[in-house]
Amino acid sequence: MKRMISILLCILFFYGCAEHASNSRGVYLLLDTSGTYTKELKKAQQIINFLLGTLGPGDTIAVARIDSASFSEKDIVAKVTFDSRPSVANAQKRKFAEIINDFVDQVKGSQYTDITGGLFQAIEYLNEVQASDKHILIYSDLKEELPEGYNRNLNFTLDGFHVRALNVTKLRADNVNPEEYVDRLKVWKQKVETGGGQWQVINDLDREDALVLS
């Protein structure tokens, strides 16, 4: 009898874990730290605070910088999977926010912008944590500039991923020739959708649905 009860408890435990994992959300936010875009990072803090208030037990969030060579775990500024206990989860969120605040206060601009490398790192991370609902947010002007010799002519595998570009600011060259801005958005849209992902651009962050994880 005791053996049967133990077996049933184990089944319920593993079923609960599997059900919990299957409903988990994963968010990976890429922050552009190149050139003058670092001035935009204060706004990014508001986005992160909103996400921290939205995510719950079992959900995962990571924030990483886009710099000259972004396909690296070293560019992850902060990462966490929230505990099922509310008090522990709240402490995790406070710590996460503190790390981000320190990063924004001390960040130095990078010379190049390896967005593709950052996307590959995001895909790898969210697949590794096995989030069922995967979201990649790119906070950037989407102007990629790579160091000499870097190969980023690769295809993404983004089945099941939602990719959103946020606050895609217009560059001085875009003001001279708006087609450059439009073409830049088209290129990234094609890369994401060719890889099987869903693509969206949101510049009005005051929209009610701007950061809804659906």
Side-chain angles (χ1 to χ4, degrees):
M1 185 66 177
K2 288 183 179 180
R3 178 178 172 81
M4 185 177 293
I5 292 173
S6 297
I7 293 172
L8 287 172
L9 288 173
C10 287
I11 292 172
L12 289 172
F13 174 78
F14 286 114
Y15 174 78
C17 289
E19 184 178 33
H20 183 68
S22 67
N23 294 325
S24 65
R25 294 175 293 179
V27 180
Y28 197 103
L29 173 59
L30 287 162
L31 300 178
D32 192 336
T33 62
S34 64
T36 58
Y37 202 85
T38 54
K39 297 177 182 178
E40 302 289 329
L41 294 184
K42 288 291 183 182
K43 295 180 187 176
Q45 288 177 284
Q46 299 174 23
I47 294 172
I48 293 166
N49 289 336
F50 176 85
L51 292 171
L52 290 175
T54 300
L55 297 171
D59 292 337
T60 296
I61 182 172
V63 174
R65 60 183 293 161
I66 299 172
D67 58 13
S68 299
S70 305
F71 186 51
S72 170
E73 290 83 358
K74 294 179 181 179
D75 280 317
I76 298 177
V77 178
K79 59 183 178 179
V80 66
T81 297
F82 295 115
D83 196 275
S84 60
R85 294 163 293 178
S87 60
V88 176
N90 287 335
Q92 289 174 310
K93 291 179 180 183
R94 285 194 297 271
K95 181 63 176 176
F96 195 97
E98 289 173 6
I99 294 171
I100 297 300
N101 291 343
D102 289 342
F103 168 74
V104 172
D105 288 341
Q106 300 171 19
V107 66
K108 296 180 180 179
S110 62
Q111 185 176 359
Y112 298 99
T113 317
D114 179 17
I115 300 171
T116 301
L119 265 171
F120 275 116
Q121 185 61 44
I123 294 166
E124 180 181 271
Y125 180 81
L126 291 178
N127 283 335
E128 185 176 328
V129 299
Q130 298 182 337
S132 59
D133 195 12
K134 305 179 184 72
H135 299 265
I136 300 174
L137 310 179
I138 310 171
Y139 191 79
S140 170
D141 58 26
L142 296 182
K143 177 69 172 179
E144 183 164 67
E145 295 180 293
L146 299 172
E148 185 177 353
Y150 275 58
N151 175 27
R152 293 293 184 262
N153 189 24
L154 303 167
N155 296 323
F156 298 118
T157 302
L158 285 163
D159 295 312
F161 281 79
H162 305 268
V163 182
R164 288 186 232 188
L166 308 176
N167 195 49
V168 186
T169 55
K170 298 174 180 66
L171 305 172
R172 184 177 300 175
D174 299 331
N175 196 30
V176 175
N177 181 10
E179 285 188 4
E180 290 193 17
Y181 180 80
V182 174
D183 289 344
R184 196 158 69 247
L185 296 182
K186 285 182 179 178
V187 166
W188 285 106
K189 174 182 172 67
Q190 183 178 14
K191 286 183 177 182
V192 169
E193 292 184 347
T194 299
Q198 297 183 29
W199 170 259
Q200 188 177 14
V201 176
I202 299 178
N203 287 327
D204 182 4
L205 297 176
D206 292 328
R207 280 172 45 182
E208 289 186 3
D209 64 338
L211 297 172
V212 174
L213 302 177
S214 58

